[in-house]
Amino acid sequence: EMHTIALNGIASTQERQVKMAEEMGVQLSSVRNSTREALQGQRVLLDGQLHLRKQGKKITAGIEGINTQMKSSEEMQKRLMVGQQSQELALETMGKNVKRVTDTVSGISERSERSL
């Protein structure tokens, strides 16, 4: 009878060990699944970071393009101002030339009238 009791004790110990092993297997499977999900989450985050970096580079390039256009526009404005100043000088010179011609013609007219 002691033999039977001992065998029953060994059997129940083995049953407990099997249950513990099964529970550990379930826990390991759960850990594996959690790890897999965490890795997938990290992949998604890395993809998102990569996308943001690309977008950042595009935005930077766009800003650089705008800055270049603004500089171009400023240079064009300066050229236009220089051109306008040149036109004003040319008009002023033309005005002086017209006055000289007018004065000369007036002088000739006066002399012609006097000589008549």
Side-chain angles (χ1 to χ4, degrees), residues 58-113:
K58 287 180 184 175
I59 289 169
T60 301
I63 290 171
E64 287 172 358
I66 289 170
N67 286 340
T68 302
Q69 285 179 341
M70 285 175 67
K71 284 178 187 172
S72 241
S73 179
E74 287 170 3
E75 287 174 19
M76 191 69 86
Q77 212 169 7
K78 286 177 187 173
R79 286 188 199 136
L80 285 171
M81 286 175 66
V82 168
Q84 189 176 0
Q85 288 171 348
S86 295
Q87 280 183 331
E88 287 171 0
L89 279 173
L91 284 171
E92 192 178 314
T93 304
M94 283 173 59
K96 287 177 183 176
N97 289 341
V98 167
K99 187 175 182 332
R100 274 192 214 123
V101 169
T102 305
D103 288 349
T104 305
V105 169
S106 292
I108 293 170
S109 296
E110 283 175 23
R111 275 185 252 134
S112 296
E113 286 175 17

Side-chain angles (χ1 to χ4, degrees), residues 7-94:
L7 283 176
N8 282 341
I10 292 171
S12 70
T13 300
Q14 285 178 339
E15 282 175 16
R16 275 195 306 262
Q17 286 176 338
V18 166
K19 281 183 184 176
M20 282 174 56
E22 286 173 350
E23 286 173 8
M24 285 178 73
V26 166
Q27 288 174 351
L28 280 173
S29 176
S30 174
V31 166
R32 235 183 273 124
N33 289 339
S34 295
T35 304
R36 189 177 300 118
E37 288 173 13
L39 287 172
Q40 287 173 343
Q42 276 184 321
R43 247 184 242 122
V44 167
L45 283 173
L46 288 173
D47 287 347
Q49 284 179 333
L50 187 65
H51 178 71
L52 285 174
R53 277 194 202 114
K54 286 180 182 175
Q55 291 299 99
K57 286 179 182 176
K58 287 180 184 175
I59 289 169
T60 301
I63 290 171
E64 287 172 358
I66 289 170
N67 286 340
T68 302
Q69 285 179 341
M70 285 175 67
K71 284 178 187 172
S72 241
S73 179
E74 287 170 3
E75 287 174 19
M76 191 69 86
Q77 212 169 7
K78 286 177 187 173
R79 286 188 199 136
L80 285 171
M81 286 175 66
V82 168
Q84 189 176 0
Q85 288 171 348
S86 295
Q87 280 183 331
E88 287 171 0
L89 279 173
L91 284 171
E92 192 178 314
T93 304
M94 283 173 59

